[in-house]
Amino acid sequence: MYLTRINSFQSRLAVAMSNVNQNPERLLAIPVKKSDPVDLYRPLRKFVATKYSESDAQKVESILETLNNCRRDMVERGDLSLPMQRDCLIHYFKCLCMVDPLFTAISSDADADPIIFVWYDAFFSEHENGVSSQRNSIQLEKAAVIFNLGAICSQIGASCDRTTSLGRHLAMDAFNAAANFFYKLWTVFAKDVSATLDLSLLFAKSLHRLCSAQASELNLQQRLHHNNTNDDASSVSFKSVSQNYRAVSVMMLRNLPATEHILSFDRTWITHLSQKLTFFQVEARQRKSSILPKSTQPVVISLVSPLDDDAESVTEKLVRAACNCNLADSWTGQLEQQLRIPFIDLFLSEYSPFKIMDGGKLVAYPWDMPPPYPTNLAFLSSSSSSHILAFPLKKCEPLDLYESLRNYFVLKYSESVAKRVEGLLQMLNKLRGEMQRDDIPLPVRRDCLIRYFKCLCMIQPLFPMTSSPNPPIFVWYNAFNPQEVSSQHNIYLEMASVLFNLGALCTHIALSSDLTTNQGHRIAIDALNDASYWFLLLNSVTMSASATVDLSKNCSDMLREIISAEIADLNCLPHSRYDRSSFPGYPVSSLYRKAYDLLTVGPLAENLVQSSIPQYLESKITSHHVKTAPTDVSEQFLLRYCKYNSLLPEECQPLCLDLLSEAGPVMIKDGNLVANLRGSDVAMEEMSLPETTVTLP
């Protein structure tokens, strides 16, 4: 039935588009803006050395070099694939945000060497206003980069093989990412820029609508392909797509300057948009008129299982699960994700290309250098602090996930399908064993837990394994009361336990930080912020897992209150440089009191009475606040990194597109799903695997 529906849709669209010789499968890709080369390193380094000191210039030298190299590759290299161009642009944008304060200072310094940014209109560079040349305008540079990120994502979407379910999913995610980049351009970056027409608010909004329309069309095709849309919902979906195309038409086709701009680039765009609008409007009306009253609607039984017994469907479902792994968007809301800044990665993660080294020196590794990156663990010490309580980690029983999952694929599908996902299963099993090791550095273990959790997201749709004679049994012990144990086939128990351990592990990192130094103090606060984030995600996952009390919402809420109090406590230390405006007039002792009140309510009181938490909370009384401002240029770079990192939230960088990048542990390469286990050269060398591939259809 679903093949009939999708084929019927495609045939009617083909007939409609053939009237004007249009390709019904065509998706419009946005062209990128071109720019003239410019040297950023020399004038910026000279300015830092003059304005601050030579020592400061040496601290940020790596950032400036990488900034300059990224821009050169972005402008001059024509051999980069679309995913590589996306990687380069994102890396450049992050560097650009870090140096933002330098351009503000240069603009008011008459003696500083000027930096001239020249950008050409993406659609009509020969127009009399087709070029914008501005002095020291980082606003123009950022807007142009965001434009090009949206354009590259649209080109990725248009180039995907949409004859496969996986290709349609990649294309849909790419156009959604493009739409979000153009939304950021429209609402943030183009507001204070006076440049070419393609960077105007109206045009940015039009491109946002266009990419949204094409993403919604792909989503509709995917739903029809999987038979996930009944007649009523189908009518609404066609109407939604038609409304998106109507919004594009109103802005692009009824605005004379915009229409002339598009005509000068590609005259077929106008006809294409008009024809798409007409088709979806007619289709929506026809489907609405054909809907029977609910009382007379026949019962339709789908003969297609949620996971088809073919390799394409299996692979696409695993990839789709990985792409939906962004829990912050789906469970806790986009706002929380935008506010989260994984600043601790700058210090300790082997997978962050930006690093803070000894003496506050900043390092930015090249955008095309794959992880792992050298990491300095000297910021951690063996000393402990009375300001921080490290939560115990949950323990589990060993489990061979590889055998049980592989057998499941063999029994449910075939030996050939099992071989195609073998590399992923091997990596999953290795990561599970690694995450329980106590002999590896805390940051490496944190990276391992994060990667294992992402792998769990990929296999989550396989559960519950009702057709398997021997599904895996996850056994986890209560972190505060090891005599209490939970044993389940439920994968959400595994996911919740991993999130708990991520939060707990971050408190151990905070405890091991050297609070006598500015860098150690910063790491401690950032590690606690990271811990709070993982416990927040735990609240959502634990709803699907009935387990021990340490995984309950009451417990995670109490632990987050303790962390909030500890962050405020650390901010009271004399050398703190953090903004404590989030605790205005709120004594730290009151924050600890909130945590203590949660501790003494319900089952938590019985389970945690023997732990050190009650005594710890009773002893915490602090009330002073100190606030100082950043004093050196590297500090300003870091604060700008934090501020602007939230401007590229996860919806602009879907994990699905990261599967096209060569920097990840799992990627799509030459039509294959490649699983490659990487890690610390020291801590993880025992678990290194040869690269294995999963052939995609």
Side-chain angles (χ1 to χ4, degrees):
M1 178 179 290
Y2 77 93
L3 285 177
T4 302
R5 300 179 71 176
I6 187 66
N7 290 337
S8 176
F9 161 74
Q10 290 175 335
S11 62
R12 289 194 301 275
L13 179 58
V15 170
M17 302 298 284
S18 64
N19 294 331
V20 287
N21 298 319
Q22 290 289 314
N23 177 8
E25 299 298 325
R26 182 189 183 192
L27 293 173
L28 300 182
I30 314 301
V32 296
K33 292 176 67 64
K34 303 296 184 182
S35 176
D36 289 344
V38 61
D39 177 28
L40 297 179
Y41 174 78
R42 186 188 59 80
L44 290 179
R45 194 193 187 287
K46 178 182 177 182
F47 178 79
V48 173
T50 303
K51 180 75 173 180
Y52 298 92
S53 67
E54 176 60 28
S55 175
D56 281 320
Q58 293 174 4
K59 284 184 179 180
V60 300
E61 193 166 35
S62 174
I63 302 292
L64 301 181
E65 288 176 345
T66 301
L67 173 81
N68 200 52
N69 292 337
C70 276
R71 194 183 199 283
R72 183 192 61 224
D73 290 346
M74 175 186 75
V75 172
E76 300 179 16
R77 287 188 60 177
D79 61 331
L80 299 180
S81 65
L82 292 174
M84 292 177 71
Q85 291 181 58
R86 171 180 171 267
D87 290 345
C88 179
L89 283 165
I90 290 176
H91 207 71
Y92 177 60
F93 182 82
K94 291 179 179 180
C95 290
L96 201 61
C97 290
M98 295 180 79
V99 302
D100 185 284
L102 296 186
F103 283 89
T104 302
I106 286 177
S107 299
S108 58
D109 191 335
D111 297 327
D113 295 339
I115 298 175
I116 308 298
F117 292 113
V118 178
W119 283 94
Y120 297 90
D121 193 293
F123 292 88
F124 194 10
S125 59
E126 291 78 16
H127 189 272
E128 59 180 353
N129 296 318
V131 61
S132 180
S133 176
Q134 298 184 20
R135 176 189 177 105
N136 301 327
S137 177
I138 195 171
Q139 291 80 14
L140 170 62
E141 187 79 351
K142 286 180 182 176
V145 171
I146 292 296
F147 180 100
N148 278 357
L149 276 165
I152 290 296
C153 287
S154 75
Q155 292 178 26
I156 291 175
S159 65
C160 290
D161 180 8
R162 299 186 299 282
T163 61
T164 68
S165 184
L166 176 60
R168 286 189 296 273
H169 186 88
L170 288 171
M172 181 175 62
D173 264 19
F175 275 107
N176 274 324
N180 283 310
F181 276 120
F182 286 120
Y183 179 80
K184 285 293 181 183
L185 179 65
W186 163 36
T187 59
V188 179
F189 294 99
K191 280 192 169 182
D192 299 321
V193 174
S194 177
T196 48
L197 181 61
D198 57 348
L199 292 183
S200 66
L201 295 180
L202 173 64
F203 216 86
K205 185 178 181 180
S206 301
L207 295 178
H208 161 67
R209 295 289 193 186
L210 172 61
C211 292
S212 295
Q214 297 187 130
S216 64
E217 179 182 347
L218 288 165
N219 182 47
L220 176 58
Q221 289 184 15
Q222 190 80 319
R223 292 170 64 190
L224 290 173
H225 181 82
H226 289 295
N227 199 29
N228 291 335
T229 305
N230 58 38
D231 289 336
D232 195 4
S234 176
S235 173
V236 173
S237 298
F238 273 89
K239 182 178 180 181
S240 175
V241 176
S242 69
Q243 288 173 339
N244 280 327
Y245 274 114
R246 179 175 178 79
V248 178
S249 299
V250 168
M251 285 182 284
M252 278 192 172
L253 308 184
R254 299 183 184 180
N255 180 277
L256 184 58
T259 303
E260 292 178 345
H261 222 59
I262 295 298
L263 286 172
S264 66
F265 171 69
D266 186 345
R267 302 184 67 86
T268 64
W269 271 41
I270 303 298
T271 308
H272 176 88
L273 291 174
S274 298
Q275 204 69 25
K276 286 272 188 176
L277 171 60
T278 301
F279 170 78
F280 282 103
Q281 284 179 333
V282 172
E283 193 72 16
R285 286 195 296 267
Q286 289 180 349
R287 287 175 179 263
K288 183 177 181 179
S289 63
S290 65
I291 297 175
L292 297 174
K294 290 188 177 181
S295 59
T296 61
Q297 286 182 7
V299 177
V300 179
I301 301 176
S302 174
L303 300 179
V304 182
S305 62
L307 183 57
D308 297 339
D309 295 338
D310 63 86
E312 178 193 341
S313 181
V314 171
T315 307
E316 193 267 339
K317 188 159 189 176
L318 293 176
V319 173
R320 185 170 69 244
C323 300
N324 293 335
C325 185
N326 184 9
L327 303 181
D329 280 350
S330 57
W331 289 340
T332 63
Q334 294 183 2
L335 178 60
E336 186 68 31
Q337 174 63 16
Q338 291 183 25
L339 294 178
R340 179 184 182 248
I341 299 171
F343 199 52
I344 187 176
D345 291 345
L346 295 176
F347 292 93
L348 303 177
S349 176
E350 293 183 326
Y351 295 90
S352 172
F354 297 91
K355 284 287 184 294
I356 302 174
M357 309 304 283
D358 286 335
K361 182 178 180 180
L362 303 183
V363 173
Y365 292 101
W367 68 268
D368 53 353
M369 174 181 174
Y373 305 103
T375 300
N376 180 15
L377 303 181
F379 299 117
L380 304 181
S381 66
S382 58
S383 61
S384 60
S385 168
S386 61
H387 296 279
I388 300 170
L389 175 67
F391 305 145
L393 275 71
K394 291 177 68 66
K395 300 295 183 182
C396 69
E397 292 293 335
L399 175 63
D400 188 347
L401 275 178
Y402 172 77
E403 286 297 329
S404 59
L405 292 176
R406 194 184 190 285
N407 289 339
Y408 170 80
F409 278 104
V410 172
L411 292 173
K412 186 171 178 62
Y413 305 104
S414 66
E415 175 65 26
S416 62
V417 171
K419 288 182 178 179
R420 301 174 81 170
V421 297
E422 195 163 27
L424 174 63
L425 301 183
Q426 287 176 333
M427 180 172 65
L428 183 79
N429 203 47
K430 286 287 187 179
L431 288 172
R432 193 182 197 274
E434 193 77 7
M435 74 175 185
Q436 288 294 309
R437 287 178 54 182
D438 295 325
D439 60 333
I440 60 177
L442 294 174
V444 176
R445 194 171 176 184
R446 172 180 172 270
D447 284 342
C448 178
L449 280 166
I450 293 174
R451 295 170 67 199
Y452 178 60
F453 184 79
K454 292 181 178 180
C455 288
L456 287 178
C457 291
M458 293 187 73
I459 66 169
Q460 180 272 326
L462 304 178
F463 289 80
M465 293 183 175
T466 53
S467 61
S468 174
N470 187 29
I473 302 177
F474 304 106
V475 180
W476 284 90
Y477 296 91
N478 188 329
F480 302 102
N481 183 12
Q483 286 71 41
E484 185 181 0
V485 63
S486 181
S487 176
Q488 301 178 23
H489 295 298
N490 189 357
I491 193 174
Y492 286 106
L493 170 62
E494 183 84 348
M495 297 173 75
S497 299
V498 171
L499 288 173
F500 182 97
N501 277 359
L502 270 167
L505 193 67
C506 288
T507 65
H508 285 261
I509 293 175
L511 180 64
S512 64
S513 302
D514 184 1
L515 296 182
T516 63
T517 67
N518 287 334
Q519 303 290 14
H521 182 266
R522 182 194 295 275
I523 290 177
I525 290 182
D526 293 326
L528 290 176
N529 276 318
D530 204 44
S532 181
Y533 173 76
W534 298 118
F535 285 123
L536 175 66
L537 295 189
L538 174 61
N539 275 345
S540 300
V541 181
T542 197
M543 292 188 299
S544 302
S546 176
T548 49
V549 71
D550 55 341
L551 296 183
S552 67
K553 185 178 185 301
N554 287 341
C555 185
S556 57
D557 285 345
M558 183 267 296
L559 297 178
R560 292 188 72 225
E561 289 296 343
I562 293 177
I563 291 170
S564 295
E566 289 175 334
I567 293 173
D569 199 352
L570 290 175
N571 280 329
C572 293
L573 297 179
H575 57 275
S576 173
R577 294 183 177 183
Y578 281 73
D579 182 0
R580 284 156 303 274
S581 59
S582 43
F583 306 100
Y586 204 69
V588 175
S589 58
S590 298
L591 295 172
Y592 283 115
R593 169 58 62 182
K594 288 181 65 179
Y596 188 81
D597 290 343
L598 289 174
L599 173 67
T600 56
V601 175
L604 288 182
E606 300 176 5
N607 277 264
L608 303 185
V609 66
Q610 300 298 328
S611 72
S612 60
I613 294 181
Q615 295 80 10
Y616 172 79
L617 293 177
E618 290 169 359
S619 66
K620 299 300 294 180
I621 301 175
T622 314
S623 62
H624 65 281
H625 295 268
V626 177
K627 180 178 179 181
T628 58
T631 57
D632 58 44
V633 66
S634 60
E635 183 77 10
Q636 294 184 41
F637 274 33
L638 295 175
L639 293 179
R640 288 288 177 164
Y641 177 88
C642 291
K643 178 179 179 181
Y644 285 105
N645 196 44
S646 64
L647 293 177
L648 289 184
E650 291 299 323
E651 61 265 26
C652 285
Q653 305 176 72
L655 182 60
C656 201
L657 295 189
D658 289 340
L659 292 174
L660 302 176
S661 172
E662 298 182 4
V666 179
M667 64 170 293
I668 298 172
K669 182 179 181 182
D670 298 330
N672 299 322
L673 185 63
V674 178
N676 181 29
L677 185 62
R678 288 176 178 157
S680 169
D681 295 336
V682 177
M684 304 183 78
E685 63 179 355
E686 297 178 7
M687 55 183 289
S688 60
L689 291 173
E691 186 177 90
T692 59
T693 61
V694 180
T695 305
L696 297 176

